[in-house]
Amino acid sequence: MTLRPIVIAFAAALIAGCGGSQGALMQPSSGAFANSAVHSLTSNYRRLFDFDHKDGYAPNGDLVAHHGALYGAAQGGQSSTCRSYEGCGVIFRVTPGGAEKVLYAFGGESLGAFPTGPLTYFWGNLYGTTQNGGTCFGHCGMIYSYSLAKSTLTTLYRFTGNADGKYPSSGLTLLDGVLYGTTEEGGHGHCREGCGTVFAIAPFGGKLTTLYRFTGGSDGSDPGSLVALDGTLYGIVHGGGGTACTYGCGGIFSVTRSGTERMVYEFKGGADGEDPSAIVRNGSGFYGATAGGGASSNGTVFTLTTSGKETVLYSFPDAQSDGSEPNSLTLLNGVLYGTTLAGGSDDLGTLFSLTSSGGESVLHDFTGDPDGKYPHGGLTELNGVYYGVTSHGGTFGDKASEGLGTIYRYKP
């Protein structure tokens, strides 16, 4: 696990005040670039909304489109109970015209803090996870539902940090009326704080079942996001896999609803990539991304079959020209879109598209304040326009060079 080490400053403050894992929202690694490529970008990108503390701070994860509006979560903002001005995080709504409203502000400790990952919509509710809240001194994370009709939040489950796991951070996946997710740590195995779990939870009532506990061996450790295909769940593990990487190069696994796990592909840390960061369905197989590895160690986009045949579709050759550390993928209307956490002319990330034959186009090169920087999460379509978020940038903040995050739109 090589490219997930640096947590943004506000997250560290939240953790100090509320407890939690230090593996969620990251700033990219820095680096010097040898050339100065000039991008020929479209003019279809526009910044829609800038966050300040009362609106939220550092949005993350895909937005959810519902009834003509977009919903999301920000890891900070509003409440001051998390020992710093950044706050405990919010759930928000934004219109296509850029009018934003905070729907719920987390209160910290057992009330939850530091919401992470995308929201999931089901039967009038938004479902999500926080990395804080829970029963182990309020530190292990929780699962919640937010009723759009009643404007109320219900805690479905508080993790204990034991066999059930701790630190859910990758959102929830809906399959046949049941929600599935992962925890970064807890469970059991040879990892210091546990190797992570896969769980199922009933959306009404909150009964949680742990489907699988990773051991840190050939099955991997530190699981991330899940997708469903033909009744089976597939996901990424950041640890395990090839031994060329210090903590293993990561892999793609499958787990059945009865709890049978299989490693579909182990990354070797070379041209095939290392540290998988995203996975999306593509017909009967998948597209995926790795944050590292590839021909120039800037990351890859790959295809994968359910039988484990991996093919690198694109290997980022030059960080400044194309980006590096890809961290999201979205398949929209037959086109694959993605974001990189780093790279671009200012090393602040890019928005790109890929053809099925591997032709890459940089659609936007993030330049910082007020433009936005460090895009987190993929794109969401609403009325033919695509929307996403950056964790920093915009016009608000205590430092002119920082900014508290943005919502942007891209018109294809």
Side-chain angles (χ1 to χ4, degrees):
M1 186 169 60
T2 58
L3 294 173
R4 304 176 65 242
I6 304 175
V7 181
I8 61 174
F10 100 89
L14 282 175
I15 290 164
C18 299
S21 166
Q22 301 187 22
L25 191 61
M26 306 163 294
Q27 288 193 27
S29 57
S30 61
F33 298 107
N35 56 26
S36 55
V38 177
H39 293 268
S40 177
L41 302 180
T42 71
S43 59
N44 295 358
Y45 173 91
R46 180 164 70 86
R47 201 174 79 256
L48 184 68
F49 180 79
D50 297 337
F51 286 88
D52 63 19
H53 288 120
K54 70 179 185 297
D55 299 314
Y57 174 21
N60 68 99
D62 302 10
L63 298 169
V64 174
H66 177 65
H67 282 187
L70 297 153
Y71 298 84
Q75 296 187 54
Q78 284 271 345
S79 173
S80 61
T81 59
C82 289
R83 264 191 61 191
S84 67
Y85 70 92
E86 285 92 353
C88 302
V90 304
I91 300 170
F92 64 85
R93 176 184 184 269
V94 65
T95 68
E100 192 255 20
K101 179 182 179 180
V102 172
L103 302 179
Y104 184 82
F106 290 91
E109 296 298 337
S110 63
L111 299 176
F114 198 12
T116 53
L119 299 175
T120 300
Y121 175 83
F122 182 61
W123 277 91
N125 296 319
L126 298 171
Y127 292 86
T129 60
T130 71
Q131 283 214 322
N132 293 105
T135 61
C136 48
F137 303 102
H139 294 7
C140 296
M142 71 183 200
I143 302 169
Y144 63 86
S145 67
Y146 177 84
S147 169
L148 292 174
K150 298 178 181 179
S151 300
T152 56
L153 185 135
T154 300
T155 299
L156 292 179
Y157 187 82
R158 291 185 174 94
F159 288 91
T160 68
N162 298 311
D164 61 342
K166 59 182 176 180
Y167 308 146
S169 65
S170 299
L172 301 167
T173 298
L174 184 67
L175 175 60
D176 296 337
V178 178
L179 294 164
Y180 297 86
T182 63
T183 65
E184 294 178 1
E185 296 181 6
H188 61 70
H190 303 293
C191 313
R192 187 183 66 175
E193 300 292 336
C195 300
T197 70
V198 180
F199 62 84
I201 186 167
F204 304 103
K207 177 178 172 54
L208 184 136
T209 302
T210 302
L211 297 181
Y212 187 78
R213 299 178 179 92
F214 290 89
T215 68
S218 60
D219 60 343
S221 63
D222 188 8
S225 57
L226 298 173
V227 295
L229 176 63
D230 296 333
T232 298
L233 297 160
Y234 294 82
I236 63 178
V237 283
H238 298 286
T243 58
C245 313
T246 303
Y247 299 103
C249 301
I252 307 296
F253 71 93
S254 69
V255 63
T256 67
R257 285 177 282 185
S258 61
T260 300
E261 192 259 6
R262 173 176 68 95
M263 184 67 84
V264 178
Y265 183 80
E266 294 185 351
F267 290 94
K268 302 173 181 61
D272 66 333
E274 65 178 87
D275 191 7
S277 54
I279 183 171
V280 296
R281 285 181 52 176
N282 172 31
S284 59
F286 309 96
Y287 287 116
T290 65
S296 301
S297 300
N298 294 318
T300 71
V301 175
F302 61 87
T303 62
L304 183 71
T305 67
T306 56
S307 62
K309 178 176 173 52
E310 191 243 20
T311 302
V312 173
L313 180 65
Y314 187 76
S315 183
F316 289 82
D318 179 81
Q320 189 172 24
S321 295
D322 302 290
S324 67
E325 300 179 40
N327 71 338
S328 78
L329 293 175
T330 312
L331 190 60
L332 292 170
N333 300 314
V335 179
L336 187 64
Y337 296 89
T339 58
T340 67
L341 188 60
S345 58
D346 293 300
D347 200 17
L348 301 176
T350 67
L351 172 67
F352 66 89
S353 67
L354 273 178
T355 67
S356 58
S357 59
E360 191 241 23
S361 298
V362 175
L363 304 177
H364 187 72
D365 182 347
F366 292 92
T367 59
D369 304 314
D371 175 52
K373 55 186 175 182
Y374 312 140
H376 274 272
L379 299 179
T380 299
E381 181 181 9
L382 179 60
N383 299 327
V385 180
Y386 302 157
Y387 297 85
V389 301
T390 68
S391 66
H392 285 77
T395 55
F396 295 101
D398 295 327
K399 300 177 182 178
S401 61
E402 191 64 18
L404 304 179
T406 74
I407 301 170
Y408 64 86
R409 54 173 285 171
Y410 176 80
K411 185 69 171 66

